[in-house]
Each structure stands twice: as structure tokens, then as C-alpha cells.
Amino acid sequence: MELIRGLHNLRPRHRGSVVTIGNFDGVHLGHRAILDQLKTHARAHDLPAVVVVFEPQPREYFSGDQAPPRLTRLSDKVRLLGQHGADRVLCLPFNRRLRELSAREFVDRVLIQGLGIRHLVVGDDFRFGCDRAGDFDLLRTLGKQAGFSVEHTRTFQIGGERVSSTRVRTLLASGNFEQAEQLLGRPFSLEGRVVKDRQLGRTIGVPTANLPMLPGPLVLRGVMAAVTRLEDGREVPGVLNIGWRPTVGTHRPVLEVHLFDFDEPLYGQRLIVMPCARLRGEETFASIDELKLRIHLDIDQARDYFKQHAFRQHASDVSGATLDAEGVDASLPSCRYPMASAPLAAERSKHEQ
């Protein structure tokens, strides 16, 4: 799979393609249905399947911190798109120059001159160009003039509802990791290389591995029971904290995970962390001793959760997923990780009634 950054990096060999355009945040099952459409037409035309994405995403450009939090970083998105059928990803910088292109200029410069498009797969509610003046009907008109066909994407539903990035975000924020996994076709995960931080955890007997977080809104905040996959394939349960450390303070959001019964160096390792159950939100404590007491309570809760919901060790790549005939990730059985359908406090209340 080839990543092309910007129109200026397109070459004559990149002309001739079947294309789709979108944010593809999360690369969920709805996105993967679009990629299946794309692959079908790419094979029929004997041409590469190309996905056009934007960085930053348009809503991030216009709304800044008010934009929805991302489900996937660009690097993870590109990797997932490649795993699910994209031969090339064209990443366009969403800046003033691109924003001011008229709809016709966008089609001419990007699709016709840049990619030599033969077929386009795009949602029938897709809007593009300056002031979002371009729509599906204009694409069909321009396609007839330029010699490329246009097809709308098919709606992909689970449980009678359309699968969307917005729906996944809502489920994650509510602590429903089980249903979020069903829509994604894989467990929701956060990835990164372990970096040195202030090592505050060690001073209170709870060492953590710290992963860098991108600036911007967080899709998850709070404390969660989580499974961490190491580079060697081992999977270790533990407790995950994401947020701003309100008691001790920090100048940027942090992701820190404490691994149970684990005492090996992790600096520089790339970890995959899968939150399984929400324990609580962010809290400010009156003292470090109070914080320490609560952290140990979180650890006890998470240990109890994993005792009650054992997960199966598995050494395959979390992101190397394949869909079966039902659109379910065949390489990641739903029983593999103990994904909760609600925060643990809500689960306990439900069972006590």
C-alpha cells in the first residue's frame, strides 16, 4: 500500500484509478463496506483502489477543539485502509488553498488531472468544494463530461442503525466497549511507543507505561480496566488512565497504563492498549495519599473484573482483521476480550436491582 502526501507528489504512474473520498475515522464496518465496493470496481477496471483523505479533517480545520474527537490517528487510519483493500491513500492537506477550490476545480485538479479517475464511490450526501457547493448530482454531471462513472455508497447497518463514527464515539464515551467493538469489527484500541514521563506512578508503588497523546479532544477520558498487547504478542491486563491528571497537573493529556504483575522495561516498545470496562471518570483528590488510595481501589476493581471475565490469550496482530460473511471480524472472536456494555458502576447497579 502506498501513501501519497499532497497533490504535488502525484506522478504520471498514479493516473488511472478507482476512487473514494472521506474521513474514514475509525475505519469501522461501514467504511469497510465502502472499501469492498471500491475493491470490486477496481478489480473490474484492473486499476488500483485509491482512498482520498484529508489532514486535518475538514471539521477539525473549521471547528478546532470543538470538532469531534478522533477515533484513529492518521498513521493508524492509513494502515487500516491498506489492510482492508486500499492500494493507495492520497492524503490532501486541508488548508486555505484546498478550501477555496471550487467544486469543479476540485474535480479537475484532484480527480481528473491528478488521479485520472475512472470510477468514483462516494456517499450521495457528499458535499465538497468551496462553501460545500458541490454535491452528488454535480459529480455525476462532471463524470459524464470527463468520462468517469459515479456510484453512491451502500448504507451499512447493524441492529437497524447505520454504522457511523459518531455512533462509535457515543458508545465509547458511554462505556459500551462491547457494542463499539461490534461496529468497528475489532476492539477499540490506542497505540503508541512508550516514552519517559515524570514517573510519578513509581513513587506511589504503581509504575505505568506512558504513551504520547495527540493534541485535541479526547475520545476517552477516565480510568478503565484494559488489556495491553506487548510487541512480543503477550497480553497483560491492567488499569488505564486517560486525561489531564487534575490532582498533580500536566501540560498535555496523558495515557498511562499500569500492567498487573509485570516488571519489565518497556521504554521504546510499541504497545496496543484495549480498554475493556470503564471504572470511573476523572476526579480531583485533596491529596496524593487520597489519590493513591483511589488508584489501589481502581486496581482491585479491575482485577476483580478480569477474574470474572477471563480473556483468551492470542498472538495474532490485533489490526490484522478479516471479515466473515456476516461482516464480523473473523480473526477477533467477540468472546476474546471481556468488553463491558456499560461502566462498572452501572453494571453493578443493574445486577443489584
Side-chain angles (χ1 to χ4, degrees):
M1 204 282 297
E2 180 182 10
L3 171 62
I4 307 165
R5 289 181 175 270
L7 283 176
H8 63 284
N9 283 317
L10 286 172
R11 301 290 180 262
R13 65 181 178 84
H14 293 130
R15 290 180 54 79
S17 54
V18 175
V19 181
T20 189
I21 307 171
N23 288 324
F24 288 89
D25 188 26
V27 194
H28 51 61
L29 292 184
H31 293 142
R32 285 153 67 173
I34 295 171
L35 292 171
D36 285 342
Q37 278 184 263
L38 189 72
K39 288 187 292 184
T40 297
H41 287 283
R43 286 195 294 266
H45 288 85
D46 194 25
L47 292 171
V50 178
V51 179
V52 178
V53 298
F54 305 96
E55 186 66 24
Q57 295 175 163
R59 288 188 68 178
E60 293 170 340
Y61 177 86
F62 289 110
S63 303
D65 287 345
Q66 301 305 309
R70 284 198 184 201
L71 296 171
T72 43
R73 298 176 303 180
L74 177 63
S75 58
D76 298 325
K77 180 194 300 185
V78 169
R79 173 174 48 77
L80 287 165
L81 289 171
Q83 287 172 351
H84 296 296
D87 297 306
R88 294 174 185 150
V89 174
L90 172 61
C91 181
L92 299 177
F94 198 91
N95 51 27
R96 182 176 178 181
R97 179 186 298 180
L98 185 68
R99 183 183 75 84
E100 291 180 348
L101 287 180
S102 71
R104 289 176 180 271
E105 287 173 332
F106 179 88
V107 171
D108 184 57
R109 294 187 189 181
V110 177
L111 300 183
I112 298 173
Q113 294 183 35
L115 293 171
I117 188 172
R118 294 282 298 281
H119 185 78
L120 177 65
V121 178
V122 73
D124 55 13
D125 59 350
F126 179 65
R127 305 297 296 237
F128 66 102
C130 185
D131 298 326
R132 293 167 51 86
D135 58 13
F136 189 80
D137 289 337
L138 177 62
L139 283 170
R140 280 193 159 169
T141 298
L142 297 178
K144 288 178 181 178
Q145 296 171 1
F148 66 88
S149 51
V150 182
E151 174 187 17
H152 64 76
T153 56
R154 295 187 289 270
T155 299
F156 188 88
Q157 295 185 337
I158 291 180
E161 292 187 62
R162 178 175 170 268
V163 175
S164 69
S165 301
T166 298
R167 191 174 163 202
V168 174
R169 290 188 198 98
T170 300
L171 290 167
L172 291 173
S174 69
N176 192 338
F177 297 111
E178 180 181 41
Q179 193 171 356
E181 177 183 358
Q182 293 172 8
L183 303 193
L184 289 167
R186 66 183 189 281
F188 176 75
S189 63
L190 299 148
E191 303 184 30
R193 292 198 180 277
V194 180
V195 297
K196 278 202 172 185
D197 200 65
R198 295 160 63 184
Q199 298 183 307
L200 295 174
R202 291 191 178 276
T203 66
I204 58 174
V206 187
T208 60
N210 296 274
L211 308 184
M213 297 288 289
L214 293 177
L218 300 174
V219 69
L220 285 177
R221 291 179 70 167
V223 181
M224 290 146 271
V227 173
T228 298
R229 167 164 293 189
L230 310 182
E231 283 187 343
D232 62 10
R234 284 181 293 165
E235 293 172 330
V236 185
V239 173
L240 165 68
N241 176 60
I242 302 176
W244 291 89
R245 290 180 181 153
T247 302
V248 298
T250 181
H251 64 281
R252 56 177 172 76
V254 297
L255 184 160
E256 49 193 355
V257 59
H258 170 67
L259 307 184
F260 295 157
D261 309 314
F262 187 89
D263 187 22
E264 299 176 25
L266 290 172
Y267 291 123
Q269 275 204 41
R270 186 169 188 83
L271 305 185
I272 301 173
V273 183
M274 290 158 281
C276 297
R278 181 178 172 84
L279 303 179
R280 62 177 175 87
E282 280 193 302
E283 298 179 38
T284 303
F285 298 94
S287 67
I288 295 296
D289 286 339
E290 191 178 323
L291 170 63
K292 181 178 177 179
L293 187 65
R294 185 54 204 252
I295 289 174
H296 283 284
L297 178 59
D298 295 333
I299 290 172
D300 290 341
Q301 285 184 298
R303 283 187 182 275
D304 287 343
Y305 181 76
F306 285 119
K307 284 179 183 177
Q308 296 171 26
H309 305 80
F311 70 93
R312 293 193 290 130
Q313 293 282 340
H314 196 284
S316 67
D317 184 359
V318 167
S319 57
T322 55
L323 294 183
D324 63 18
E326 300 297 322
V328 176
D329 194 335
S331 68
L332 297 171
S334 60
C335 61
R336 177 178 164 194
Y337 298 103
M339 297 294 176
S341 59
L344 291 194
E347 287 283 0
R348 284 196 299 273
S349 298
K350 181 174 67 178
H351 293 301
E352 288 168 359
Q353 290 175 356

